[in-house]
């Protein structure tokens, strides 16, 4: 995710940058840094750098302590708050990054997918790299273009963006052009603007709001030149375009949440992007899964004879769904353990086992302890987490980062979808390397995954139906959620979301278990949420829905678009697009996240900060 700020104008840049970075800290808080050019001291003839860069791991407070009240003179600068993707959250990996001369500085949000190839090329040309980040290739590439062509910073960035692959919002300054900031966008958002006395850049509106309410959100594949009082914009084809200005009425609180009332809702809406980022660089053009993070040989992968998934809460539900994909695609047996139970049950593990820890925060004490126990037993350990540098990454032989960006709402939403996607990619990778899936089946599944971001966008359109159901059932005392197969994981997750943010009693059950006890809870008007998308068990699910209806339940059904049989049995119907059955939790859970959110709002409860809960649970 990452937060970017840029300023050029009449004021001292540093306070403006720090103020903007504080407002964007919700976008990343692993490290922060600034680069400021002091125009008075430019000594271009000697090549002496006149750019001051300060960077520090940790929250912005750490950078402020480092600066300790010292001012860096200069009226142009860029700043960054980092959410690490490549390279640990250290001082050295913090942005801005500079070229070999120290004259150009760059901050970046996104992932440069061809960074490895470019790094090798630039090193062979004599460039020296000092960080582990993908970002550093961008600044050396720009330097190399300027060196060979003698062009302007803008022209160099324009050429660089045709070479860089992946997603980037790039913001650059150079001591040789100390009156302008060059900005490029390929996917991640970046906003520019100008007042009579300043030119401004921010990855989100809060960074600009104190200086202007007229902003220009750059379109995808555009470059901007931001100066005091003016903004010019070009397409990546080099053709200048008329920028479109948007007038913003939001106050600062609304702006931080992107206009949403709460971070939870914002994060629900960020799910298409989160899933795109989880997949990025992991499926190549020919449909092969490439996981650079996993360095086990094919023989080692073939030797795995059991996988044990350990996780807690929502992450456990991601593991529960992943068990189905892994077993179906790879034929490796999967055990699923609540991390808090795992160590104490004397599990059977050996060097052929793989323990897979899943956790958004990477700090859950129970999951960490389970992974550490597994290491002691000599098993392979894989971590799936969202936080680079978290404790979980130190307990693992291989780490798959979910790249969902920071999640502020306590209830996990976008990190859950990202975990499901990461676990499914890993399952496909195992199947590919072990040769347990026919090529056309693999390609078909990969294609279905590629369609997911758009299908998630489509699923989000269910909001109005969910809102109506939330109003109707906000006062319910109990809720029952049922599903079969992967739908069972969705049912459990739906019940957990509802409990944690609405405080309504909710039970998630495998639908077939209902008749063994919980059906006694059904009486007139009890809402039963049923997941009807799982192809192989559809008829059985319909029977379960009939059973609860016969006993007076109100049914809230998640079904495929156009499912008339479901419609006929539903008091409320949430329609979702069709994907491969094993991928269906990625879509099915979205209406349930929304249902919890809107019921919490109906009840006047704070969705972002449910009582008694914390974002990371660091005690056993
Ligand atoms: C629920 C939720 C929790 C976490 C659980 C594990 O919305 O967020 O149930 O899933 O506390 O946390 P992580 O995933 O950080 O290990």
């Amino acid at each position: 995710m990452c937060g970017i700020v840029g300023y050029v104008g009449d004021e001292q840049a540093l306070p403006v940058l720090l103020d903007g970075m504080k407002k964007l800290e919700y976008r990343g808080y692993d490290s922060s840094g600034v680069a400021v050019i002091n125009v008075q001291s430019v000594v271009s003839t000697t090549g002496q750098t006149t750019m001051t860069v300060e960077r520090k791991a940790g929250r912005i407070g750490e950078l402020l302590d480092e600066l300790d009240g010292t001012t860096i003179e200069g009226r142009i600068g860029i700043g960054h708050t980092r959410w690490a993707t490549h390279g640990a959250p250290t001082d050295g990996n913090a942005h801005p990054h500079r070229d070999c001369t120290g004259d150009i500085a760059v901050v970046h949000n996104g992932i440069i997918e061809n960074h490895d190839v470019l790094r090798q090329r630039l090193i062979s040309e004599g460039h020296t790299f000092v960080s582990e980040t993908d970002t550093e290739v961008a600044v050396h590439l720009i330097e190399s273009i300027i060196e060979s062509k003698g062009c302007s910073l803008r022209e160099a960035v324009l050429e660089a963006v045709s070479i860089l692959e992946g997603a980037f919002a790039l913001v650059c300054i150079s001591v040789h052009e100390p009156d302008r900031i060059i900005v490029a966008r390929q996917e991640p958002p970046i906003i520019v603007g100008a007042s009579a006395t300043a030119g401004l850049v921010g990855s989100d509106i809060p960074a600009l709001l104190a200086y202007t309410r007229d902003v220009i959100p750059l379109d995808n594949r555009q470059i901007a030149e931001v100066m005091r009082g003016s903004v010019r914009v070009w397409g990546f084809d080099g053709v200048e375009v008329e920028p479109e200005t948007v007038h913003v009425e939001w106050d600062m609180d609304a702006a931080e949440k992107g206009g949403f009332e709460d971070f939870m809702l914002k994060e629900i809406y960020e799910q298409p992007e989160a899933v795109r980022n989880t997949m990025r660089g992991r499926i190549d053009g020919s449909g092969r899964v490439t996981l650079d993070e996993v360095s086990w040989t094919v023989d080692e992968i073939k030797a795995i004879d059991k996988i044990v998934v350990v996780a807690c809460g929502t992450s456990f539900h991601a593991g529960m769904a992943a068990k189905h994909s892994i077993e179906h695609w790879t034929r490796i047996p999967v055990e699923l353990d609540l991390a808090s139970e795992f160590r104490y049950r004397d599990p059977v593990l050996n060097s052929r086992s793989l323990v897979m820890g899943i956790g958004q925060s990477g700090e859950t004490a129970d999951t960490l302890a389970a992974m550490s126990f597994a290491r002691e037993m000599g098993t392979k350990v894989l971590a799936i987490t969202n936080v680079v540098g978290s404790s979980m990454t130190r307990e693992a032989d291989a780490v798959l980062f979910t790249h969902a960006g920071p999640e502020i709402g306590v209830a996990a939403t976008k990190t859950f979808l990202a975990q499901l996607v990461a676990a499914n990619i890993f399952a496909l990778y195992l199947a590919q390397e072990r040769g347990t899936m026919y090529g056309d089946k693999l390609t078909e599944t990969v294609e279905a995954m590629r369609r997911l971001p758009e299908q998630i966008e489509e699923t989000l359109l269910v909001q109005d139906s969910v809102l109506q159901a939330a109003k109707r059932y906000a006062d319910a005392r109990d809720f029952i959620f049922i599903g079969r197969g992967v739908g069972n994981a969705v049912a459990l997750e739906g019940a957990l979301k509802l409990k944690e943010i609405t405080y309504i009693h909710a039970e998630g059950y495998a639908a077939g278990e209902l008749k063994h006890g919980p059906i006694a809870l059904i009486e007139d008007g009890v809402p039963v949420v049923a997941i009807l998308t799982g192809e192989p068990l559809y008829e059985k699910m319909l029977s379960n829905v009939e059973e609860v209806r016969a006993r007076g339940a109100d049914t809230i059904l998640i079904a495929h678009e156009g499912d008339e049989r479901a419609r006929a049995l539903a008091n409320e119907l949430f329609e979702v697009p069709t994907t491969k059955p094993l991928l269906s939790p990625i879509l099915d859970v979205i209406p349930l996240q929304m249902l919890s959110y809107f019921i919490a709002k109906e009840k006047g409860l704070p969705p972002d900060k449910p009582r008694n809960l914390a974002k990371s649970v660091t005690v056993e």
Side-chain angles (χ1 to χ4, degrees):
M1 193 110 141
C2 303
I4 288 177
V5 186
Y7 175 83
V8 52
D10 292 354
E11 293 181 37
Q12 286 296 326
L14 184 65
V16 181
L17 296 177
L18 293 173
D19 182 49
M21 286 156 66
K22 278 186 218 150
K23 301 215 165 78
L24 294 186
E25 206 176 10
Y26 63 86
R27 298 181 64 88
Y29 35 77
D30 292 335
S31 61
S32 57
V34 289
V36 175
I37 298 171
N38 185 336
V39 180
Q40 271 74 44
S41 61
V42 170
V43 192
S44 53
T45 46
T46 62
Q48 190 180 319
T49 180
T50 57
M51 178 133 47
T52 309
V53 174
E54 287 291 345
R55 307 178 300 169
K56 197 72 196 147
R59 287 185 172 260
I60 290 171
E62 305 286 331
L63 179 68
L64 292 174
D65 288 349
E66 180 81 358
L67 290 167
D68 195 21
T70 49
T71 51
I72 306 172
E73 291 277 324
R75 296 175 199 277
I76 173 167
I78 53 179
H80 188 267
T81 60
R82 179 166 186 245
W83 180 256
T85 57
H86 291 71
T90 58
D91 290 358
N93 287 332
H95 299 213
H97 290 284
R98 275 174 294 178
D99 67 332
C100 297
T101 63
D103 285 354
I104 306 170
V106 161
V107 289
H108 165 223
N109 173 24
I111 299 172
I112 295 171
E113 286 170 18
N114 56 342
H115 67 100
D116 253 349
V117 183
L118 289 175
R119 180 181 277 253
Q120 293 321 318
R121 197 188 95 188
L122 289 158
I123 288 173
S124 71
E125 284 175 15
H127 291 262
T128 307
F129 281 75
V130 293
S131 80
E132 302 155 327
T133 62
D134 52 336
T135 304
E136 204 185 341
V137 300
V139 70
H140 288 286
L141 182 62
I142 293 165
E143 176 189 20
S144 132
I145 295 167
I146 293 178
E147 251 171 30
S148 66
K149 306 230 161 124
C151 59
S152 68
L153 183 62
R154 180 180 69 79
E155 287 161 330
V157 172
L158 187 62
E159 184 164 335
V161 296
S162 68
I163 299 168
L164 298 172
E165 289 169 16
F168 46 83
L170 274 182
V171 178
C172 326
I173 51 173
S174 161
V175 295
H176 303 291
E177 299 178 45
D179 58 348
R180 66 200 62 200
I181 305 172
I182 305 299
V183 183
R185 172 185 181 190
Q186 178 155 298
E187 293 188 33
I190 191 88
I191 294 159
V192 296
S195 68
T197 56
L200 299 138
V201 182
S203 41
D204 215 341
I205 288 169
L208 286 77
L209 216 50
Y211 307 92
T212 179
R213 289 193 164 267
D214 294 313
V215 300
I216 303 166
L218 279 196
D219 272 346
N220 202 19
R221 300 177 62 75
Q222 283 188 335
I223 284 197
E225 185 177 72
V226 179
M227 300 176 71
R228 175 187 176 279
S230 76
V231 173
R232 290 178 68 191
V233 178
W234 293 260
F236 277 10
D237 56 5
V239 178
E240 187 161 2
V241 292
E242 192 56 43
E244 234 176 85
T245 303
V246 176
H247 185 74
V248 183
E249 299 285 2
W250 295 337
D251 62 18
M252 191 56 80
D253 183 53
E256 279 183 7
K257 293 172 185 152
F260 291 96
E261 271 187 49
D262 300 281
F263 280 109
M264 182 178 172
L265 192 61
K266 175 172 181 268
E267 286 155 5
I268 288 173
Y269 274 86
E270 281 170 355
Q271 294 184 118
E273 195 51 28
V275 163
R276 264 187 207 107
N277 285 334
T278 311
M279 286 197 280
R280 192 180 302 289
R282 289 174 169 160
I283 298 173
D284 72 16
S286 64
R288 267 191 81 74
V289 181
T290 48
L291 291 183
D292 297 339
E293 308 89 328
V294 177
S295 55
W296 298 314
T297 63
V298 176
D299 285 342
E300 284 174 310
I301 288 172
K302 284 188 171 156
I304 296 170
D305 64 4
K306 174 164 83 168
I307 294 179
V308 185
V309 179
V310 290
C312 304
T314 291
S315 301
F316 178 80
H317 299 148
M320 191 178 235
K323 172 181 162 73
H324 289 261
S325 317
I326 299 172
E327 289 190 335
H328 186 66
W329 293 334
T330 72
R331 310 311 299 152
I332 304 172
V334 178
E335 288 173 16
L336 179 67
D337 267 77
L338 287 165
S340 51
E341 293 288 321
F342 173 71
R343 284 181 295 162
Y344 304 113
R345 74 164 168 94
D346 193 16
V348 181
L349 297 170
N350 58 43
S351 59
R352 294 170 72 105
S353 325
L354 166 68
V355 167
M356 181 166 149
I358 308 181
Q360 50 85 23
S361 64
E363 299 296 346
T364 299
D366 287 319
T367 311
L368 286 174
M371 291 168 69
S372 147
F373 175 83
R375 274 168 79 85
E376 280 162 28
M377 301 289 284
T379 70
K380 292 185 180 49
V381 179
L382 173 83
I384 295 185
T385 185
N386 197 37
V387 182
V388 176
S390 59
S391 306
M392 216 164 132
T393 62
R394 292 193 284 277
E395 296 294 344
D397 305 310
V399 185
L400 286 189
F401 291 111
T402 46
H403 299 316
E407 192 172 63
I408 311 290
V410 163
T413 53
K414 64 175 178 173
T415 53
F416 177 62
L417 258 66
Q419 287 169 349
L420 288 170
V421 169
N424 276 302
I425 289 181
F426 182 65
L428 287 174
Y429 178 71
L430 291 180
Q432 170 186 285
E433 300 301 298
R434 291 167 69 101
T436 49
M437 217 168 160
Y438 289 120
D440 53 348
K441 182 90 188 301
L442 188 67
T443 314
E444 209 182 279
T445 312
V446 162
E447 280 313 311
M449 291 199 79
R450 281 204 171 115
R451 283 195 295 278
L452 284 170
E454 265 176 40
Q455 292 186 310
I456 296 169
E457 269 157 23
E458 221 183 296
T459 310
L460 291 169
L461 301 175
V462 79
Q463 174 168 323
D464 284 349
S465 319
V466 177
L467 202 49
Q468 173 187 308
K471 285 187 197 308
R472 188 162 167 185
Y473 295 108
D475 294 326
R477 194 193 55 192
D478 310 291
F479 256 85
I480 313 275
F481 292 73
I482 53 172
R484 285 172 181 258
V486 285
N488 185 26
V490 177
L492 295 189
E493 176 58 9
L496 175 60
K497 282 288 91 93
L498 193 74
K499 277 183 267 210
E500 67 180 323
I501 64 164
T502 73
Y503 319 147
I504 294 177
H505 166 242
E507 302 263 2
Y509 257 94
E513 270 292 290
L514 212 58
K515 57 187 172 295
H516 299 292
I519 201 159
L521 294 171
I522 308 289
E523 54 187 18
D524 266 355
V526 170
V528 174
V529 181
I531 321 299
L532 286 183
T533 54
E535 283 300 328
L537 298 162
Y538 176 78
E539 293 296 337
K540 291 190 194 305
M541 277 304 302
L542 272 189
S543 308
N544 295 131
V545 170
E546 298 272 18
E547 279 160 23
V548 295
R549 277 175 70 84
R551 288 159 178 83
D554 273 16
T555 49
I556 302 175
L557 305 184
I558 316 268
H560 286 146
E561 284 155 349
D563 182 343
E564 292 309 321
R565 292 173 74 193
R567 182 177 296 281
L569 294 178
N571 292 86
E572 300 287 343
L573 181 68
F574 303 151
E575 291 186 304
V576 294
T578 307
T579 179
K580 294 254 164 215
L582 286 171
L583 303 179
S584 58
I586 295 164
L587 304 176
D588 295 348
V589 76
I590 294 168
L592 303 187
Q593 297 168 337
M594 283 184 170
L595 184 66
S596 308
Y597 173 81
F598 286 116
I599 291 183
K601 295 301 279 183
E602 279 297 311
K603 294 174 96 66
L605 297 169
D608 287 342
K609 293 191 173 97
R611 70 185 180 203
N612 306 339
L613 293 175
K615 191 67 190 156
S616 47
V617 184
T618 53
V619 290
E620 204 182 332

